[in-house]
């Protein structure tokens, strides 16, 4: 996925610690994103991806739903382009290494990243199917001091499961403030935490959560860039796997000319509904799609599995996009 947005993160260091004990009084830890960051090899497939483009220096530290929710607050000056895989709404990191590395455990991979001190027990209060492969969890948070910012994750501790999950938070901080609810969207994989969510998790299941962040969030910091226009290129196997598409269409209607989305489907077998037809192209995101957006003021944010990130990064290099204008993050 590539995306455009404002920069607004500072760098704080904090060592990750092992899972705190989960108890009835609310101790625990967690982390959030769409699809498991620790997915097994091959999880997610290479069919689904997204690219967001933005003009000006814009930073993406959120998932697509967070981009959508924040759109009304971060407009004014330049524009942005994004490429995204539906299965991998991830954080984007500047100048990440393009070559894939050996797969590591979530806690090992994020050992040097910022963690909040507050941990909280949470109870599952809702489970819905976002698609055939993605479940959305609604979690009631026990600790009133538990907070997060858009773009952060949760470490996800499950009683009886030794492996700690790492998932992006797909709900807004406002929902937590109003209702004490946090939501995660998790793709089915064989990785133990994701597998548990899809096969064993039920209403009233208890877990523990702790918020983590790539850099440490500093309110009001950043380089002062503001997002103008956002163009999202969002690819999936078929339209049923285009998560949050109704939210995206709603924002396109609410902010005409400011938010634009091009959906791509690679294995569509059924008829595309009328509402989506004007916005859907059959086939992968191509060089031709992206080259018309190249400019010195455009930043590119990519989210997807390593092969997709490497492919889009190479494509952008081929059409003249400077390396320092491409942002992504690898979790697998």
């Amino acid at each position: 996925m590539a995306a455009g947005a404002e920069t607004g993160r500072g760098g704080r260091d904090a060592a990750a610690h092992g899972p705190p004990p989960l108890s009835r009084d609310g101790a625990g830890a967690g982390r959030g994103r769409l699809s498991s960051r620790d997915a097994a090899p091959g999880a997610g497939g290479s069919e689904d991806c997204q690219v967001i483009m933005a003009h000006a220096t814009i930073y993406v530290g959120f998932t697509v739903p967070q981009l959508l929710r924040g759109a009304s607050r971060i407009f004014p000056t330049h524009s942005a382009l994004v490429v995204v895989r539906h299965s991998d709404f991830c954080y984007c990191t500047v100048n990440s290494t393009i070559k894939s590395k050996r797969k590591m455990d979530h806690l090992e991979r994020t050992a040097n990243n910022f963690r909040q001190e507050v941990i909280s027990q949470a109870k599952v209060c809702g489970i819905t199917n976002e698609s055939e492969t993605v479940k959305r969890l609604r979690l009631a948070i026990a600790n009133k001091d538990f907070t997060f910012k858009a773009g952060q994750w949760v470490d996800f501790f499950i009683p009886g499961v030794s492996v700690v999950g790492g998932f992006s938070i797909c709900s807004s901080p406002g929902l937590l403030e109003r209702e004490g609810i946090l939501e995660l969207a998790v793709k089915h994989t064989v990785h133990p935490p994701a597998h548990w969510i899809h096969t064993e998790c039920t209403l009233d299941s208890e877990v523990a959560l702790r918020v983590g962040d790539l850099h440490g969030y500093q309110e009001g910091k950043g380089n002062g860039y503001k997002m103008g226009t956002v163009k999202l290129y969002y690819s999936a196997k078929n339209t049923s796997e285009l998560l949050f598409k109704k939210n995206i269409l709603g924002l396109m209607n609410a902010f005409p000319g400011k938010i634009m989305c091009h959906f791509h489907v690679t294995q569509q077998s059924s008829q595309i509904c009328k509402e989506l037809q004007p916005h859907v192209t059959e086939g992968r995101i191509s060089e031709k799609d992206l080259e018309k957006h190249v400019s010195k003021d455009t930043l590119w944010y990519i989210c997807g599995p390593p092969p997709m990130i490497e492919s889009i990064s190479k494509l952008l290099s081929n059409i003249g996009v400077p390396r320092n204008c491409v942002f992504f993050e690898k979790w697998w």
Side-chain angles (χ1 to χ4, degrees):
M1 160 182 180
E6 295 186 30
T7 37
R9 289 167 171 261
R12 294 203 301 258
D13 296 323
H17 301 287
L22 177 61
S23 63
R24 290 285 176 184
D25 62 4
R31 154 188 181 189
R33 293 196 176 193
L34 169 59
S35 84
S36 173
R37 290 176 163 180
D38 307 301
S46 57
E47 294 297 336
D48 316 315
C49 68
Q50 308 173 353
V51 176
I52 300 174
M53 172 187 73
H55 292 302
T57 344
I58 299 166
Y59 175 84
V60 104
F62 43 61
T63 60
V64 165
Q66 292 160 343
L67 165 63
L68 302 180
R69 281 190 300 275
S72 62
R73 301 192 304 273
I74 56 178
F75 276 117
T77 56
H78 306 76
S79 36
L81 170 68
V82 180
V83 179
V84 185
R85 266 184 69 109
H86 101 267
S87 57
D88 306 288
F89 295 89
C90 310
Y91 301 127
C92 300
T93 306
V94 182
N95 296 330
S96 298
T97 302
I98 289 185
K99 290 188 178 295
S100 300
K101 298 179 179 179
R102 72 175 179 85
K103 292 177 173 58
M104 295 183 290
D105 174 80
H106 160 58
L107 290 183
E108 179 185 4
R109 183 182 298 112
T110 61
N112 295 321
N113 292 126
F114 167 79
R115 249 78 173 187
Q116 288 186 4
E117 294 183 4
V118 175
I119 55 179
S120 178
Q121 183 175 352
K123 182 177 289 188
V124 176
C125 60
I127 306 174
T128 57
N129 293 322
E130 281 295 319
S131 74
E132 293 180 359
T133 61
V134 175
K135 284 188 181 293
R136 182 192 289 230
L137 288 190
R138 285 177 63 85
L139 297 163
I141 306 300
N143 192 325
K144 300 302 181 184
D145 294 323
F146 182 96
T147 62
F148 74 94
K149 301 294 184 182
Q152 294 179 321
W153 76 73
V154 291
D155 297 325
F156 194 84
F157 294 90
I158 305 164
V161 178
S162 61
V163 180
V164 177
F167 302 110
S168 292
I169 303 167
C170 72
S171 57
S172 69
L175 181 64
L176 179 64
E177 293 170 4
R178 294 189 305 273
E179 303 179 26
I181 298 295
L182 177 148
E183 295 184 338
L184 307 177
V186 181
K187 186 176 177 67
H188 183 233
T189 74
V190 297
H191 188 254
H195 184 73
W196 178 86
I197 287 170
H198 279 261
T199 61
E200 298 183 47
C201 180
T202 61
L203 291 178
D204 295 328
S205 289
E206 293 184 352
V207 297
L209 308 176
R210 175 178 57 200
V211 171
D213 192 295
L214 281 175
H215 309 291
Y217 192 98
Q218 294 185 359
E219 192 75 47
K221 300 293 183 181
N223 58 11
Y225 288 106
K226 293 191 176 183
M227 182 170 66
T229 302
V230 176
K231 300 180 180 71
L232 170 66
Y233 282 80
Y234 183 3
S235 176
K237 181 171 63 175
N238 53 52
T239 53
S240 68
E241 293 291 330
L242 291 169
L243 308 181
F244 310 107
K245 52 185 173 287
K246 290 184 179 179
N247 304 69
I248 295 171
L249 290 175
L251 281 168
M252 290 170 63
N253 292 330
F255 301 98
K258 286 291 187 180
I259 296 179
M260 290 153 276
C261 181
H262 304 272
F263 296 110
H264 285 248
V265 291
T266 57
Q267 298 180 35
Q268 185 74 20
S269 57
S270 60
Q271 185 173 359
I272 298 171
C273 70
K274 289 184 178 180
E275 185 181 22
L276 280 177
Q277 281 179 0
H279 310 289
V280 174
T281 299
E282 297 201 36
R284 296 178 183 275
I285 298 167
S286 69
E287 182 174 310
K288 183 178 180 181
D289 294 318
L290 303 183
E291 62 185 0
K292 57 191 172 187
H293 302 295
V294 176
S295 81
K296 64 181 179 62
D297 294 322
T298 301
L299 293 186
W300 305 73
Y301 295 84
I302 311 171
C303 182
M308 174 265 172
I309 290 175
E310 290 163 6
S311 174
I312 295 295
S313 295
K314 183 177 180 180
L315 184 156
L316 293 176
S317 177
N318 290 341
I319 60 177
V321 176
R323 175 78 177 270
N324 62 359
C325 291
V326 179
F327 300 78
F328 58 83
E329 171 190 280
K330 289 186 179 178
W331 288 98
W332 302 272

